[in-house]
Amino acid sequence: MTNLLAHQQWHGKIFDGQWIDGGGDTVESLEPATGEVLGVIGTASAADIDRAAHIASAAQPAWAATIGQARASVIRKAAQILEAERAEVERWLIREGGSVPGKAAFEVDLVISELWEASALPTQPFGHLLPASQEGRTSIGRRVPLGVVGVISPWNFPLLLAMRAVAPALALGNGVVLKPDVQTAISGGAVIAELFTSAGLPEGLLHVLAGDAEPGQALCESPSIAMVSFTGSTAVGRQVGATAGRTLKRVSLELGGNNALIVLDDADLDAASSAGAWGSFLHQGQVCMTAGRHIVLESVADQYLDLLAKRAAAVLPVGDPNTGDVALGPLINARQIANVDRIVQGTKAAGAEIRAGGTYEGLFYQPTVLAGVTSDMPAFREEIFGPVAPVVIVKDEDEAVRSANDSEYGLVAAIQTGSVERGERIADRLRTGIVHINDQTLNNDAYAPFGGTGASGNGARFGTQSSWDEFTTWQWRTSRPAAQTFPF
């Protein structure tokens, strides 16, 4: 490791421009693969959130008034520092979050892209010259920052899923209060604080306060927070939406998914099974975009199942990603692995067949393929968030579409087919925010609109195509060279 976190000033602290003691307890950051203590983090109380929001509110107007080139320079500098320090950051993602090295490198690449894309925002046009409705009056519509943005981020892609809100919010002139998950509060919190401190962000604009439900609720309730950007489970997202909604603040919800990978009878099955394995098993399936239901036409189902099961059983070793050459690392905690096994065993008891995996040791769950899954089984209905590929067999593409849409979730779908035109026709019928044809479900571009519908969230909330809509609001401004009188 190099120098970004080596000084350990963050040990047992929260960040408000400086590392200070928090009002909550300290919590050990544990390596899920070994149980080793990696560090100690401080947690925030509701009072800490309230204080941070007030400090950020006081600091934000001067930052919003800072010329765009200067704000852009800070964001670019953060990207350059991350590039230079990426080996250290990747190691934290591997050890604290259970990422395999490839996933950790992929996450850092995505975060660097997010920073560079965000750095272009402050120098873009931020308004329109509107037609005048009266002689002598100038009328403009201009984008202005919201004020202070609260960000609640999860543990699975901790750096990316925080930074995709933090970076554009700061770039567009807002202050930010970030509450990372305590399980990855170093890689998803301390890293961000140190990046922006090193990049020269003015003090008071960024606060990093890990914690549980108490500071999360305080963030949603605070009148000093203009917006909450939440990424996490659908159950918690509903609570965030309800709490934040009572204060009439803007709410961005990027929630769970139970995503369909449709395999048609003209697909390249070797490529499709590779896409299916990647879509279900990357990062142990702990991704909202994971392929949660493989919907396969019956004429090719046996061959697809054989190929997928062989990949799971013979090609994908499981183990400690910090010390071994493995494809899958540990799940994040014991509660998560118990829930995955509950779904797998419940689906088996309901009549499905385990074609590969279905066992675990410690926090290491074997990549699992379930055959004969039907719509009344747990693996069809629930978001598994583990390395499980449920395979659903259907008669034709109409039934495939009905099966894919038979879910409360609507995040992403993928279609494997020999005909792009056929894939496009099916894509038009799917109720998801994202569709990929001849690809898998796990895709993220910093500049593309990202988000889902239904239980997956309230729309495309991320990506630079959406950042102006998310982190600023319109102000209509008119002016006259001199005041005029009116009939009254």
Side-chain angles (χ1 to χ4, degrees):
M1 294 186 181
T2 52
N3 298 314
L4 191 65
L5 297 179
H7 55 69
Q8 294 268 316
Q9 292 177 5
W10 49 268
H11 184 87
K13 306 289 186 179
I14 61 174
F15 182 79
D16 72 344
Q18 302 179 37
W19 292 104
I20 64 171
D21 292 328
D25 296 330
T26 57
V27 177
E28 294 178 337
S29 174
L30 301 178
E31 183 175 31
T34 65
E36 180 182 341
V37 177
L38 301 175
V40 176
I41 59 166
T43 65
S45 65
D48 291 324
I49 294 289
D50 185 64
R51 176 176 173 273
H54 279 88
I55 293 172
S57 293
Q60 183 269 332
W63 176 243
T66 301
I67 62 171
Q69 292 93 328
R71 281 185 273 124
S73 179
V74 171
I75 309 299
R76 287 195 299 269
K77 183 65 173 176
Q80 293 165 345
I81 294 168
L82 179 56
E83 185 67 73
E85 305 288 352
R86 65 177 301 153
E88 177 187 10
V89 175
E90 287 174 21
R91 183 64 59 85
W92 275 107
L93 290 167
I94 291 166
R95 299 198 66 190
E96 189 180 37
S99 301
V100 298
K103 180 268 184 184
F106 177 59
E107 182 168 358
V108 171
D109 283 340
L110 290 173
V111 173
I112 292 170
S113 295
E114 293 283 350
L115 286 163
W116 282 110
E117 287 290 328
S119 73
L121 292 170
T123 53
Q124 291 179 6
F126 58 94
H128 302 297
L129 181 62
L130 303 175
S133 60
Q134 299 174 22
E135 292 291 336
R137 184 169 77 170
T138 300
S139 179
I140 62 172
R142 63 194 297 264
R143 287 286 195 176
V144 297
L146 295 173
V148 180
V149 174
V151 180
I152 303 175
S153 58
W155 50 262
N156 57 332
F157 271 72
L159 188 57
L160 172 64
L161 299 184
M163 193 67 82
R164 67 179 181 179
V166 171
L170 288 172
L172 291 171
N174 299 285
V176 173
V177 178
L178 167 64
K179 191 191 85 67
D181 192 287
V182 294
Q183 295 171 104
T184 50
I186 300 172
S187 54
V191 166
I192 293 173
E194 290 299 320
L195 278 176
F196 282 108
T197 298
S198 300
L201 184 73
E203 188 172 327
L205 285 169
L206 173 65
H207 301 255
V208 181
L209 302 93
D212 55 15
E214 179 192 341
Q217 180 165 339
L219 195 69
C220 294
E221 292 177 340
S222 171
S224 298
I225 301 289
M227 172 188 177
V228 172
S229 176
F230 172 83
T231 302
S233 72
T234 298
V236 177
R238 295 184 197 278
Q239 298 174 26
V240 168
T243 303
R246 285 194 290 271
T247 67
L248 302 181
K249 58 170 55 76
R250 185 176 295 181
V251 184
S252 166
L253 301 173
E254 203 274 283
L255 310 176
N258 188 349
N259 309 296
L261 173 70
I262 298 173
V263 181
L264 300 179
D265 50 11
D266 59 353
D268 178 335
L269 295 182
D270 187 62
S273 64
S274 176
W278 181 265
S280 284
F281 303 141
L282 178 69
H283 197 40
Q284 300 78 261
Q286 298 173 122
V287 192
C288 62
M289 297 177 287
T290 292
R293 291 170 295 149
H294 299 234
I295 299 171
V296 186
L297 266 61
E298 63 181 355
S299 61
V300 296
D302 288 343
Q303 187 178 353
Y304 180 81
L305 269 164
D306 287 343
L307 290 168
L308 186 62
K310 286 177 182 176
R311 292 181 186 278
V315 183
L316 301 174
V318 179
D320 184 346
N322 188 47
T323 60
D325 184 12
V326 300
L328 281 76
L331 271 69
I332 191 67
N333 57 40
R335 183 178 70 245
Q336 187 66 24
I337 206 158
N339 188 59
V340 170
D341 197 56
R342 174 189 64 80
I343 294 172
V344 169
Q345 300 307 323
T347 302
K348 177 185 176 183
E353 175 191 1
I354 298 177
R355 292 286 296 270
T359 62
Y360 67 95
E361 183 175 350
L363 296 183
F364 299 94
Y365 208 97
Q366 293 295 319
T368 298
V369 176
L370 296 172
V373 174
T374 59
S375 62
D376 56 348
M377 295 179 181
F380 186 100
R381 290 293 164 196
E382 299 185 45
E383 182 181 30
I384 303 173
F385 234 62
V388 181
V391 178
V392 181
I393 300 174
V394 295
K395 293 180 179 179
D396 54 33
E397 65 180 58
D398 288 335
E399 187 179 353
V401 170
R402 288 195 298 271
S403 183
N405 286 335
D406 185 14
S407 173
E408 66 173 337
Y409 298 100
L411 182 54
V412 59
I415 303 163
Q416 291 284 326
T417 175
S419 166
V420 173
E421 293 77 12
R422 188 181 182 190
E424 295 280 4
R425 289 196 301 271
I426 291 176
D428 288 341
R429 301 168 64 189
L430 298 176
R431 296 195 295 268
T432 58
I434 305 165
V435 183
H436 303 295
I437 298 170
N438 284 333
D439 205 337
Q440 39 76 42
T441 55
L442 294 161
N443 284 280
N444 188 96
D445 289 331
Y447 41 81
F450 185 97
T453 62
S456 291
N458 56 356
R461 297 298 191 172
F462 299 103
T464 48
Q465 293 289 324
S466 306
S467 292
W468 283 98
D469 292 330
E470 284 304 291
F471 302 113
T472 68
T473 190
W474 282 107
Q475 182 187 70
W476 181 32
R477 181 180 294 184
T478 68
S479 62
R480 294 177 180 276
Q484 71 168 22
T485 61
F486 292 88
F488 290 171

